[in-house]
Amino acid sequence: MEWVLIAVVGALVGFLGGMFGKGGSAIATPMLNVAGVAPLTAVASPLPGTIPGTLVAAYAYWRQQLVDWEIVRWSIPVGVPATVLGAYATRWIGGGPLVVATELVVAALGARFVLFPSDPHEIALPPPAPRTRMVLVAATAGLLSGLLANGGGFLLAPLYVLVLRAPIKSAFGSSLVVAAALAVPGTVVHALLGHIDWAVVAAFSVTSIPLSYVGGRVAVRTQSTRLERAYGAGLLLIGLVSLAATA
């Protein structure tokens, strides 16, 4: 029964990750923990499974020219070393606090997008010092990506919207590409530390990969304001339910 639940989690995470520009680990961690996976294993094991799914979903956005390659070019060189640093720091931080931290961040971001969605008719002006902002976003997301063992998409997409003023779909598409890159060093470090259960990875991946592409296709066809509200509602619901289950 546990393996069936893990596969179901993979399907749900793959669809939502593809739709909302996330690798999906931030959602997978609390759900796998509820399904019976040990906390630190629940933190690390979804990470390698999200890499192919993230790339598949990114392809759906790329086909519609919804990837901002300047953001990608500035995010990856900064985010990758920050991810390694964060992943290595988990040697001194237990799985339980990381699961709770993930749930809190997911709920807070969800509330922001439900309560304060972007105005689709507003003309977004380029922010001051955009490249400095890109570096700061990438460093923050990379560090927390390593600590929380996810590709960083749960932070990248909203920060691209809030800090870089990127359109929501472009933020999702760009974050998928960057999240795939950030997931690689995190996977390597957590594998070396023995945090990954490869049987969990296999059960998770078999459903998450195909559903990631489906989620991406649905997103690019959805009106932006509805997409943003749905994004926030989904994050808020998952974060609150997971917090209640682990309380």
Side-chain angles (χ1 to χ4, degrees), residues 208-223:
S208 68
I209 294 173
L211 268 294
S212 295
Y213 182 74
V214 175
R217 292 289 292 168
V218 170
V220 298
R221 297 181 180 184
T222 302
Q223 196 269 342

Side-chain angles (χ1 to χ4, degrees), residues 10-57:
L12 179 60
V13 168
F15 179 79
L16 293 176
M19 188 170 182
F20 297 133
K22 302 160 41 54
S25 294
I27 298 175
T29 292
M31 293 180 69
L32 288 175
N33 189 234
V34 171
V37 179
L40 195 53
T41 302
V43 167
S45 294
L47 191 55
T50 61
I51 296 173
T54 300
L55 291 173
V56 166

Side-chain angles (χ1 to χ4, degrees), residues 111-165:
R112 159 61 179 80
F113 281 96
V114 168
L115 297 174
F116 307 104
S118 302
D119 183 353
H121 303 294
E122 181 182 1
I123 299 176
L125 298 176
R131 291 180 176 176
T132 300
R133 290 174 180 239
M134 291 179 198
V135 169
L136 292 175
V137 167
T140 300
L143 182 62
L144 293 179
S145 169
L147 281 170
L148 300 177
N150 59 68
F154 82 110
L155 276 178
L156 288 170
L159 290 179
Y160 287 162
V161 174
L162 299 175
V163 179
L164 303 182
R165 302 176 188 171

